[in-house]
């Protein structure tokens, strides 16, 4: 902290008005109206707590001209996707904002409007936060809090050789959406840009007892499938022609197939599912209106460790890079 | 996210090595070795969860040449101070790092060493995190998680007229420490600089049933006493000559008294204590070796709302500004 003067002796510092106007309306149960040192939360009886955190930086994770309401929602949804990957239920979130002078209050009003909309959609509230100034780009950090039945959180470490590799929804729209916003990919209906700006976390599918392992696809399908295999001590084969693409991604043309496989920002779930649970998984998908596609299989690592990509004839497919790096 | 290339098809992205080297050794129980989408935490039976978050920005909250090990510890201790203000017990924390290119890995090695030392001191572990790049200054955000007996969290809203205003430890050392580091205040033993860099969160005092309200002093005594009064709907009188100063602060000279009253970074506790609990409070202080000083009283707001500062003769004392603003 610093000891620089901040006003007259009766004035409240600027951030109190800012927090009151922008963030207090978002306060959920346990937030103590954002007036106290911390939030107090009663965990649902007999449940475990699940927590994750993600940061987004202006110019790195979102574009300066992205609509402010989608920036907050995207950050929240990325975190909700981490809960979804564990089969957990959202409860609330905490938020820090490092605010540069060039981002004025109307931007934050829209940012909060987006968060408010998603709080209603996903059933959670703001529990606490901190607002500070920065000389650099806008930095947002969001901690998500959820709950899960004891011992029922899906993990990345428990895929087994013989499990099918499944994915929810379609792959590649987020990465193509970013390229569409840069004018590099046609996107007449804005379907791709919308997916880039507003991912759909796959909450509430009820996958415990069906999937043996899970994670969300955030850094690119190939890289993330590799993580799932590596953390589980098995290999994985992706049959690239089975990877489900949206109509918009298909319309972009075959030259973008590798981008779909390796680009980030999908926020779909990657699942390891034993063959005997496939029908139950498909039933879950039908019940929730979520496409479930088997795109490969986990194999004995003695045969071949890591990720292999195969075409419909079993021939190896090479990609130039595997996905997004954060550093 | 972006779709920029990040390496060859077999390489792991750079942040996996970085996280493994720097942060995995800090992982606590429930962190799943930082390998999964989220942490899973079993709340202690019958306890409420307490959560708070704070961000620190290079050049705003810490100096670029502050020792890296104290930067992490200060961030952790500021958050622990929020738990202390609620009489809560620490459990773990989540951390995001927005990392500029100019901050190299050895800085983070020292940063993590500091965190590790404090994890031992305060009995908690790292639960999760996120590391990303930024074009601006280093931004750190830390979410603290603790627990408290149901209904026993101390609040800011429950001070009553007639309660004494008490403070732990000494006031002003943090603010003077910053000035000492700038060469503006003499600090022959580095006592002030040490207090600025390493506050001492007042955890474990067991103040439930003794204090009627509490908060930590982070933005300056005068401003924070005003918050406590305002949130409780009462007025407050601070008797400035009673405010406890350290030997180092006293040695700096009387011209720095106002800085002590209004500067930030104390991380002491400000307490509202009814007269009938004063002996119990003093006994707690003796038991824990923490100085407890009555520095004023809460009054009926009809008499005078807000904060009044009085000297030993009851005359009003004016200050030019009341404390730190974050925006």
């Amino acid at each position: 902290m610093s000891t620089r003067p901040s006003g007259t002796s009766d004035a409240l510092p600027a951030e109190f008005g800012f927090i009151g106007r922008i963030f207090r309306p978002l306060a959920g149960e346990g937030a103590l109206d954002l007036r106290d040192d911390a939030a107090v939360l009663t965990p649902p009886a007999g449940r475990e707590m699940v927590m994750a955190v993600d940061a987004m930086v202006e110019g790195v994770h979102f574009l300066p001209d992205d609509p402010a309401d989608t920036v907050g929602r995207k950050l929240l949804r990325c975190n909700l996707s981490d809960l979804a990957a564990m089969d957990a239920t959202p409860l609330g979130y905490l938020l820090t904002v490092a605010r540069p002078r060039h981002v004025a209050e109307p931007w934050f009003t829209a940012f909060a409007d987006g968060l408010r909309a998603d709080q209603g959609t996903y059933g959670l509230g703001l529990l606490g936060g901190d607002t500070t100034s920065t000389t650099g780009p806008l930095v947002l950090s969001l901690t998500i809090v959820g709950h899960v039945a004891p011992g029922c959180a899906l993990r990345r470490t428990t895929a087994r050789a013989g499990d099918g590799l499944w994915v929810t929804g379609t792959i590649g729209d987020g990465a193509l959406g970013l390229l569409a916003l840069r004018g590099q990919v046609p996107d007449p209906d804005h379907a791709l840009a919308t997916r880039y700006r507003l991912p759909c976390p796959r909450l509430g599918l009820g996958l415990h007892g069906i999937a043996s392992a899970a994670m969300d696809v955030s850094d690119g399908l190939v890289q993330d499938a590799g993580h799932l295999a590596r953390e589980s001590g098995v290999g994985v084969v992706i049959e690239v022609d089975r990877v489900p693409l949206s109509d918009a991604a298909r319309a972009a043309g075959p030259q973008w197939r590798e981008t779909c496989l390796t680009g980030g920002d999908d926020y779909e779930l990657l699942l390891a599912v034993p063959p005997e649970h496939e029908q139950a998984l498909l039933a879950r998908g039908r019940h929730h209106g979520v496409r479930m596609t088997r795109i490969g299989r986990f194999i004995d690592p003695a045969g071949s460790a890591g990720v292999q990509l195969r075409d419909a004839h079993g021939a190896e497919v090479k990609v130039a890079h595997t996905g997004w790096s954060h550093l």
Side-chain angles (χ1 to χ4, degrees), chain A residues 61-74:
Chain A
H61 302 87
F62 58 94
L63 307 172
D65 60 350
D66 274 340
D69 70 302
T70 68
V71 171
R73 295 167 85 182
K74 181 166 183 173

Side-chain angles (χ1 to χ4, degrees), chain A residues 245-256:
Chain A
L245 303 182
S246 68
D247 292 342
R250 215 175 287 277
Q255 71 273 32
W256 297 108

Side-chain angles (χ1 to χ4, degrees), chain A residues 1 32 34 56 59 151-152 187 231 235 262 265 283 305 313:
Chain A
M1 305 290 166
L32 307 180
L34 304 182
M56 295 203 327
C152 293
D187 186 24
E231 298 292 352
T262 60
D265 269 338
H313 311 291

